[in-house]
Amino acid sequence: MMTKHLTLSNYIKLQLILSVACFCLVITFLPASAAQDNGDALYQYYCAQCHGEKGDGKGINATEDLPTQPKDFTSPKNLPVFTDEQIVNTIKQGGPKEQLSFIMPPWGDILSDEQIDVLKKLLRKICKCQYDPAAAAAAAAEAAKQKQ
Amino acid sequence: MWLIIHKNLISLLLALTFSLLFFIQPVRADIKKGEAFYKQNCLSCHSLSRTTKVSLEEAKALKGMPLWFAGSKFKKGWLEKWLAAPKPILGVKWGTLTKGANDHPAVDASKIPDLVSYLMTLVDAEIKKGATEPLPESRGKRKSMLGKTRQLFEKHQGCYACHQYINRLDKTIGGFSGPSLVGADKRLNPDWVYAFLKSPRRYYPNGGCPIPGESAFNKFTDENRAALATYITNMGVK
């Protein structure tokens, strides 16, 4: 048998070579898929069917049957009222996490935290906006008024 | 003379019974032939290997969905009918966000038995049988069960944002990016739907369908999954 002739040092060498080979294989193949997808590709694959290819909320799934329409990211009314954290939470855990509609699905089991961060940055680019506390306060006051 | 006629008669009778036997014997489907047909006509679009997550670039280059679990997913009768005369399933042109139907190649009737018996051998051995409850017999119980599971489908998760389905008023409504669930009662096996709701990325690794998992705010329980699998595979049933 082969193993009988394998001395200890040869065995260790073999182990070393094998682990290096494995490691190389892993690093060439593993991150390739996740890292390649840029924000645009992610958005068009996972979000555009509802939020529209341009982010205007007019995706093919935005039918009149929905109780809540997908948000228009280009409108100055929508994203400025959300902090970055709220946007990330919404994407990761779904609308209900931030008291939004369940029609906004959770993506945390499909997208990595880095990918969600990339998407958040893309949304900020689409709306050309940052979080605006004044706008958020105005929106909250408006919502409270409507509730009365 | 008599002997000759007699002999001829016997052989004629024999020939007749043999040919009758041949016709009466059910046509046995040939799995090997079905496999060869699949490799020639289907494999270029429908992969048979369990794939892992790929880059979206690669995902877009695929021309059809994987079918390595076809025998677990589909009902045999549906495959036989659909492959002979395919009707649209997705609400969009493959690989796009353009509404519309996909032209699918139709299979000649003579090839269907072999092909379908081959497809039925493509099972996912890890799928548990009987994870879902059948519909109750009594009309009242059935209605209350379907009513509850409809709530899950409509209000808890909003599945119809992407899938066409039949609502309480018998109207077909819903989004377009996913496969239509109208006719899912004839198409899908409940055990597979349950397995899919439990581990969606096992079947479609890039995950176009955001089934709530560990990180979701509105989570599913196994009971929810079983109820939904029953609801979906009884679509339109009253």
Side-chain angles (χ1 to χ4, degrees), chain A residues 89-110:
Chain A
N89 286 346
T90 306
I91 301 175
K92 188 167 175 168
Q93 304 188 52
K97 170 69 182 162
E98 294 294 338
Q99 289 89 45
L100 295 172
S101 168
F102 54 83
I103 296 291
M104 168 62 196
W107 294 98
D109 288 273
I110 295 170

Side-chain angles (χ1 to χ4, degrees), chain B residues 99-120:
Chain B
K99 263 190 233 174
N102 294 291
D103 281 331
H104 196 274
V107 177
D108 190 79
S110 65
K111 307 284 186 210
I112 297 258
D114 294 348
L115 177 62
V116 171
S117 29
Y118 168 63
L119 287 172
M120 292 314 286

Side-chain angles (χ1 to χ4, degrees), chain A residues 38-39 42 113-123:
Chain A
N38 60 22
L42 289 171
D113 286 355
E114 296 80 61
Q115 288 176 315
I116 290 175
D117 193 61
V118 165
L119 279 169
K120 180 208 75 190
K121 288 188 180 124
L122 178 77
L123 296 194

